[in-house]
Amino acid sequence: MAAFVDRVVLHASGGDGGHGCASIHREKFKPLAGPDGGNGGNGGSVRLVVDPQVTTLLDYHHAPHRHAPSGTQGMGDHRQGSTGQDLVLPVPDGTVVKSTDGEVLADLVGAGAEYVVAQGGHGGLGNAALSSPRRKAPGFALLGEPGDAADVVLELKTIADVALVGFPSAGKSSLVAAISAARPKIADYPFTTLIPNLGVVQAGDARYTVADVPGLIPGASEGKGLGLEFLRHVERCAVLVHVLDCATLEPGRDPLTDLDVIEAELQAYAGDLGIEGGRVPLTERPQLVVLNKIDVPEARELAELVRPDLEARGLRVFEVSTASHEGLRPLTFALAGLVDQARREAPQPEATRVVLRPRAVDDAGFTVTRRIDADHEYFQVRGTKPERWVRQTDFTNDEAVGYLADRLARLGVEEKLLAAGAVAGAEVVIGDGPSAVVFDWEPTLLTGSELLGGPRGSDQRIEERTRPTRGQKREEYKDRMDAKAEARAELWTEREAGLWRED
């Protein structure tokens, strides 16, 4: 079973909001004492929070589906529904949150840093909150809004001061074990280290962390040999140490060639990386070269041979042996000096600023767009308020639909539709995707709760009826006048015949 996981796909969903309650208060001698339906509770959100005690994403590898609790439904007698608790997911320091398309959503660095993955749904209002002087006893309540659902990719990038890079079996794990108390797995075959190992080094008064990055091979920047999985852990390190094997027996391998290959892979990886947040590119960070395994005579001779060429490139070179601990003390103090310099030059973290973004005067909070799809014309309404109102409307209740029409009219949706060129019978879509609501727009639909005269739960404006045209009204008026004239003539004839003589 894997004990270290640095990349998982998390399926998170926020809790649903509770439905509002439509209730009428009843007691002795007060059978209809007014609405008393309570509001539904809000659903909980899914939040990622950095926890220093967590070092792996293993929990989310085994259980990738996480759902926050939902809010409960409101009840009568003004009883509100309970709010769902937020689901807090602890993640290691250095976790990067990405979308499934690769877009970086959040870079969680520092204890307590958090990011909301899935927002909980809003609870619906009960009929007590919907009552007004003109709508005194609403026969409906708003539905709870469903919580957001999101699939995100969590990637862990090790946070260390120094990164040890090099070919497999170059002695990186042995070097970490020699200069710190870490005890990584060490063996004489390639790719012994499959996960990064961290060690804390004490050099005098200085203390810093060293990461043993698993071995790199040619083509690592393209993903060969899990290179991308390994190179991810180099991004946050301030100092790079090239560990070169001077005792390798593989053909075509020597310290200079190994260094050129690793630098080329770092350069290729950094070119596709894109530096964010002011971090220095990989190739511009302080670098050291460690010629390892000089306890072998042939390796010591090779180290002395290639040292002038490496120093000619401007690199500081240290000849060490992890077996005999030769040369380790100067190396640790040299790394301490570079780490201290990098910490001094690092930009100071700025305090979080509260940014106010007031809405523009001409911003209505929604948009109306005319769209044509395969000779099919429709008008799409997008906006936080209209889409939320649609999700919270019970379309089986005519009064609730009428209330939605009132809200959309007050918001100015009809005016925007007219300005966009919509006419009677035009198809209007509110929202996007499967949850969108489609209807034929009728601009002559009267609005205003003062016109509601039917029983609770009904709306006279939604009844099926046709409005007569002006010509039909004129013909109806003429027929009515003709009928009155005929009635008068008949009465006059009967009076002249003596059937009756009263006026």
Side-chain angles (χ1 to χ4, degrees):
M1 179 181 297
F4 181 86
V5 176
D6 57 0
R7 187 181 187 277
V8 295
V9 178
L10 180 66
H11 310 277
S13 57
D16 299 336
H19 300 329
C21 177
S23 173
I24 299 297
H25 183 69
R26 290 177 173 84
E27 61 182 65
K28 190 175 183 180
F29 305 119
K30 292 182 180 180
L32 298 175
D36 66 347
N39 302 334
N42 296 332
S45 303
V46 180
R47 298 189 293 119
L48 301 176
V49 180
V50 173
D51 187 351
Q53 302 300 324
V54 179
T55 59
T56 178
L57 301 174
L58 183 63
D59 292 343
Y60 311 117
H61 173 73
H62 294 304
H65 296 271
R66 300 301 176 100
H67 181 72
S70 300
T72 60
Q73 184 175 355
M75 294 170 285
D77 199 16
H78 300 283
R79 289 176 292 177
Q80 312 293 332
S82 61
T83 300
Q85 296 295 326
D86 290 348
L87 179 61
V88 179
L89 303 179
V91 294
D93 193 3
T95 301
V96 178
V97 186
K98 296 183 178 180
S99 65
T100 53
D101 299 332
E103 178 186 0
V104 177
L105 303 177
D107 193 352
L108 303 178
V109 178
E114 67 174 73
Y115 174 73
V116 179
V117 178
Q119 187 73 38
H122 292 269
L125 298 179
N127 64 344
L130 298 174
S131 61
S132 65
R134 294 183 176 180
R135 183 183 277 106
K136 296 184 178 180
F140 69 99
L142 297 185
L143 303 178
E145 186 181 10
D148 296 337
D151 296 338
V152 295
V153 179
L154 304 182
E155 291 185 353
L156 176 59
K157 297 180 181 179
T158 303
I159 297 181
D161 298 311
V162 180
L164 305 181
V165 296
F167 271 73
S169 299
K172 299 183 296 298
S173 299
S174 301
L175 181 58
V176 171
I179 62 178
S180 69
R183 292 295 175 263
K185 181 179 180 181
I186 300 174
D188 58 351
Y189 54 84
F191 292 107
T192 305
T193 303
L194 296 178
I195 61 174
N197 297 297
L198 289 179
V200 179
V201 181
Q202 186 76 35
D205 296 334
R207 175 176 294 183
Y208 55 91
T209 56
V210 178
D212 167 23
V213 179
L216 303 178
I217 61 176
S221 60
E222 301 174 358
K224 186 175 181 181
L226 298 179
L228 294 179
E229 304 296 328
F230 299 160
L231 285 169
R232 181 190 314 128
H233 299 279
V234 185
E235 295 181 23
R236 303 186 189 276
C237 299
V239 181
L240 301 182
V241 176
H242 295 273
V243 181
L244 306 179
D245 187 0
C246 293
T248 180
L249 300 178
E250 297 183 18
R253 288 274 309 278
D254 61 81
L256 296 178
T257 303
D258 291 354
L259 179 62
D260 294 338
V261 171
I262 298 302
E263 286 185 340
E265 296 303 325
L266 293 176
Q267 177 71 28
Y269 179 72
D272 298 335
L273 176 62
I275 301 300
E276 299 177 358
R279 292 200 296 269
V280 180
L282 297 179
T283 55
E284 299 179 10
R285 298 180 188 181
Q287 300 184 21
L288 294 180
V289 173
V290 172
L291 300 176
N292 195 17
K293 303 180 182 180
I294 62 172
D295 54 292
V296 179
E298 293 81 1
R300 184 182 296 272
E301 295 178 0
L302 181 59
E304 295 175 354
L305 180 64
V306 300
R307 183 185 183 106
D309 295 334
L310 295 174
E311 292 178 344
R313 300 186 183 185
L315 299 172
R316 296 178 62 183
V317 181
F318 293 85
E319 300 178 9
V320 302
S321 171
T322 57
S324 61
H325 288 201
E326 180 182 352
L328 295 183
R329 183 176 177 81
L331 173 63
T332 57
F333 279 91
L335 290 177
L338 292 178
V339 170
D340 181 66
Q341 180 182 357
R343 290 174 179 174
R344 292 197 308 267
E345 296 177 354
Q348 296 296 328
E350 298 182 359
T352 303
R353 297 181 179 180
V354 178
V355 181
L356 302 179
R357 295 183 175 88
R359 195 180 70 179
V361 177
D362 57 348
D363 184 9
F366 67 94
T367 58
V368 177
T369 308
R370 178 175 176 266
R371 301 186 183 278
I372 299 178
D373 185 11
D375 299 333
H376 173 64
E377 182 184 23
Y378 64 96
F379 295 85
Q380 188 175 31
V381 180
R382 297 299 307 273
T384 303
K385 286 185 177 180
E387 294 181 26
R388 177 181 297 172
W389 293 346
V390 165
R391 289 193 295 265
Q392 292 185 327
T393 300
D394 181 9
F395 287 94
T396 61
N397 188 303
D398 291 344
E399 189 178 356
V401 177
Y403 178 69
L404 173 63
D406 293 343
R407 302 178 83 180
L408 294 177
R410 288 194 299 267
L411 189 62
V413 174
E414 286 203 354
E415 297 178 0
K416 289 281 188 178
L417 287 172
L418 289 172
V423 296
E427 181 178 332
V428 177
V429 180
I430 300 180
D432 190 19
S435 60
V437 174
V438 184
F439 62 93
D440 294 334
W441 183 49
E442 178 56 52
T444 58
L445 181 65
L446 299 178
T447 59
S449 56
E450 69 275 5
L451 300 178
L452 302 178
R456 285 188 298 274
S458 64
D459 193 318
Q460 294 179 357
R461 298 170 294 172
I462 307 178
E463 294 180 359
E464 293 292 337
R465 66 176 186 272
T466 58
R467 297 188 61 191
T469 62
R470 184 172 300 177
Q472 292 174 344
K473 290 182 178 180
R474 188 179 296 110
E475 292 179 1
E476 183 181 352
Y477 176 76
K478 291 181 179 179
D479 294 340
R480 189 164 58 250
M481 292 299 101
D482 292 343
K484 287 183 178 181
E486 292 178 0
R488 291 193 189 98
E490 184 179 354
L491 291 174
W492 186 259
T493 303
E494 293 178 354
R495 182 177 182 180
E496 289 182 345
L499 297 179
W500 54 276
R501 294 188 178 278
E502 296 182 358
D503 292 339

